[in-house]
């Protein structure tokens, strides 16, 4: 590896509760069976350099296997971390889009990004609806107080939702720029929402506050 390289990392953990050994992965993802073939049957770690797989592969009868860097690792919960030395720096991308998407995978393996482990926040109106269903406020609470609490819940939900939407837009643009700098295609990236649509979304939310 050298300056400017994009290093991909996938950890594959066999789900012992699944009869077909489907995998649940961190960072670059998980794999699923294809037809009756199980792509991975043991816990392992694999690496990619600028999207290209590293390691030794074997192709037999049209089935590609191998590429593991560390095999038979212990089961458990793993958290991504980076150690840098001598002033080294790195930027981390947990997905869902990558500057150098992993390719050349073993037959039947599909990767899912680490970002899927953090679900997107619900829309603000849905959050308020669920809050009301919980009936956390007693019947003795004054109506004015209830309205204030509902507005606070909606406002916090809006802040979380808009922060997530901003992250998604920034993430897509960062990946798009990174690919353009490398001369790579961007056709698989979703279009970024226009400023007009974002303003309309904010306006509708303000109207919601007024109604409350």
């Amino acid at each position: 590896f050298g300056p400017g390289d994009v290093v991909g990392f996938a950890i594959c953990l066999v789900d012992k509760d699944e009869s077909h050994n489907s995998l649940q992965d961190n960072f670059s993802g998980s794999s699923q069976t294809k037809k009756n073939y199980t792509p991975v049957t043991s816990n392992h770690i694999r690496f990619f350099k600028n999207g290209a797989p590293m390691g030794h592969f074997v192709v037999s009868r049209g089935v590609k296997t191998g590429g593991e860097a560390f095999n038979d690792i212990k089961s458990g919960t793993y958290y991504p971390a980076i150690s840098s030395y001598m002033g080294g720096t790195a930027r981390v991308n947990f997905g869902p889009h990558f500057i150098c998407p992993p390719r050349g995978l073993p037959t039947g393996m599909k990767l899912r990004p680490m970002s899927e482990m953090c679900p997107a926040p619900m829309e603000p109106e849905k959050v308020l609806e669920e809050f009301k269903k919980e009936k956390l406020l007693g019947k003795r609470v004054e109506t004015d107080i209830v309205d204030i609490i509902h507005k606070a819940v909606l406002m916090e939900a809006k802040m979380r939702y808009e922060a997530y939407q901003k992250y998604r837009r920034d993430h897509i643009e960062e990946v798009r720029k990174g690919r353009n700098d490398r001369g790579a295609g961007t056709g698989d990236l979703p279009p970024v929402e226009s400023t007009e649509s974002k303003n309309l979304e904010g306006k509708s939310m303000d109207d919601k506050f007024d109604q409350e």
Side-chain angles (χ1 to χ4, degrees), residues 3 11 20 29 58 72 111 143 154-155 162 175 188 196 207:
I11 178 169
H20 295 292
V58 175
D72 296 323
L111 300 182
T143 303
L154 193 62
M155 177 63 75
E162 290 185 345
V175 172
D188 62 310
E196 181 179 357
D207 292 341

Side-chain angles (χ1 to χ4, degrees), residues 24-206:
Q24 186 176 23
D25 296 327
N26 293 335
F27 213 135
S28 276
S30 70
S31 66
Q32 301 172 346
T33 58
K34 183 179 182 181
K35 295 182 179 180
N36 294 326
Y37 174 71
T38 303
V40 181
T41 58
S42 64
N43 298 341
H44 74 268
I45 294 173
R46 60 179 62 238
F47 294 98
F48 303 84
K49 179 179 178 181
N50 298 321
M54 304 184 71
H56 179 68
F57 290 87
V58 175
V59 179
S60 176
R61 296 182 180 181
V63 176
K64 183 178 182 179
T65 59
E68 300 91 344
F70 299 97
N71 216 342
D72 296 323
I73 63 174
K74 293 183 179 180
S75 298
T77 301
Y78 289 80
Y79 299 91
I82 292 179
S83 296
S84 61
Y85 303 90
M86 304 298 291
T89 61
R91 300 186 69 179
V92 180
N93 177 8
F94 296 112
H97 306 287
F98 299 98
I99 294 176
C100 298
R103 60 183 186 274
L105 300 171
T107 302
M109 177 177 286
K110 295 182 180 179
L111 300 182
R112 289 159 46 191
M114 180 75 175
S115 58
E116 288 191 5
M117 299 188 71
C118 181
M122 292 188 295
E123 294 185 356
E125 293 89 346
K126 182 64 176 178
V127 173
L128 180 59
E129 179 182 338
E130 294 297 322
F131 179 81
K132 291 180 178 179
K133 288 181 180 179
E134 293 294 329
K135 297 182 179 180
L136 300 176
L137 304 178
K139 295 181 179 180
R140 296 183 180 181
V141 180
E142 297 181 2
T143 303
D144 292 344
I145 301 298
V146 172
D147 291 340
I148 291 175
I149 294 176
H150 285 173
K151 286 185 178 181
V153 170
L154 193 62
M155 177 63 75
E156 181 177 351
K158 177 189 175 186
M159 294 173 62
R160 291 177 181 273
Y161 184 79
E162 290 185 345
Y164 176 77
Q165 295 301 322
K166 182 180 184 304
Y167 160 76
R168 289 187 64 229
R169 293 191 295 270
D170 293 345
H171 169 67
I172 294 172
E173 283 306 298
E174 182 177 2
V175 172
R176 192 188 312 278
K177 182 180 182 304
R179 291 192 188 179
N180 288 335
D181 292 343
R182 292 169 177 266
T186 59
D188 62 310
L189 298 177
V192 178
E193 298 177 6
S194 65
T195 304
E196 181 179 357
S197 64
K198 290 183 289 183
N199 291 337
L200 289 176
E201 181 183 25
K203 182 177 180 181
S204 63
M205 191 60 62
D206 292 339

